[in-house]
Amino acid sequence: MNPSVLFVCVHNAGRSQMAAGWLSHLAGDRVEVRSAGSAPAASVNPVAVEAMAEVGIDITGQRPKILTVDAVEASDVVITMGCGDACPIFPGKRYEDWQLDDPAGQGIEAVRPIRDEIRARVEKLVGELSATP
């Protein structure tokens, strides 16, 4: 069974969407990818969409989703990005909190380094998941 990863940020419009896009791109169907937000926005941040398009990853079809207990329970790894105490904690899950700048309201020049930092972290995560039996 493939591992599953849930990316969570407040609005599920920028960081978590870019992380999900990277993980889907880098791991393909070897990992089940989910993303959600504790207070989802109406749509994905257009600057995040543009930043990902620059590296050949299309996240235009994604929509912000509300974080559910079921999504957390069904995931092996839960990666939070500034959602604070809104994330339910279940024993036996792997949790990581990635401190990343929020791309909301920022221009493309500010979002590119966030995108690249997320890629580096996702690449490390893929390596760790691949090494797990």
Side-chain angles (χ1 to χ4, degrees):
M1 195 166 115
N2 290 341
S4 57
V5 177
L6 171 65
F7 295 103
V8 184
C9 65
V10 176
H11 301 299
N12 189 217
R15 292 165 289 189
S16 56
Q17 291 287 355
M18 288 192 288
W22 275 122
L23 185 56
S24 295
H25 177 75
L26 295 168
D29 58 4
R30 294 174 299 155
V31 178
E32 191 177 341
V33 181
R34 299 183 179 95
S35 72
S38 51
S43 61
V44 174
N45 180 336
V47 182
V49 171
E50 181 185 350
M52 294 302 284
E54 287 182 350
V55 293
I57 299 173
D58 181 5
I59 60 170
T60 54
Q62 299 302 316
R63 296 286 168 262
K65 295 172 280 304
I66 186 75
L67 175 65
T68 65
V69 170
D70 291 345
V72 175
E73 209 166 16
S75 300
D76 299 309
V77 181
V78 179
I79 295 176
T80 58
M81 303 171 185
C83 74
D85 298 331
C87 299
I89 303 290
F90 289 96
K93 304 279 177 213
R94 173 178 163 188
Y95 290 90
E96 286 185 29
D97 186 50
W98 291 359
Q99 300 293 322
L100 296 159
D101 290 336
D102 188 346
Q106 306 223 47
I108 188 72
E109 295 78 17
V111 175
R112 284 183 187 121
I114 300 169
R115 172 200 68 203
D116 296 343
E117 169 73 12
I118 292 170
R119 178 185 182 141
R121 291 176 186 232
V122 168
E123 284 175 336
K124 180 175 182 277
L125 178 67
V126 169
E128 292 166 358
L129 293 173
S130 301
T132 307

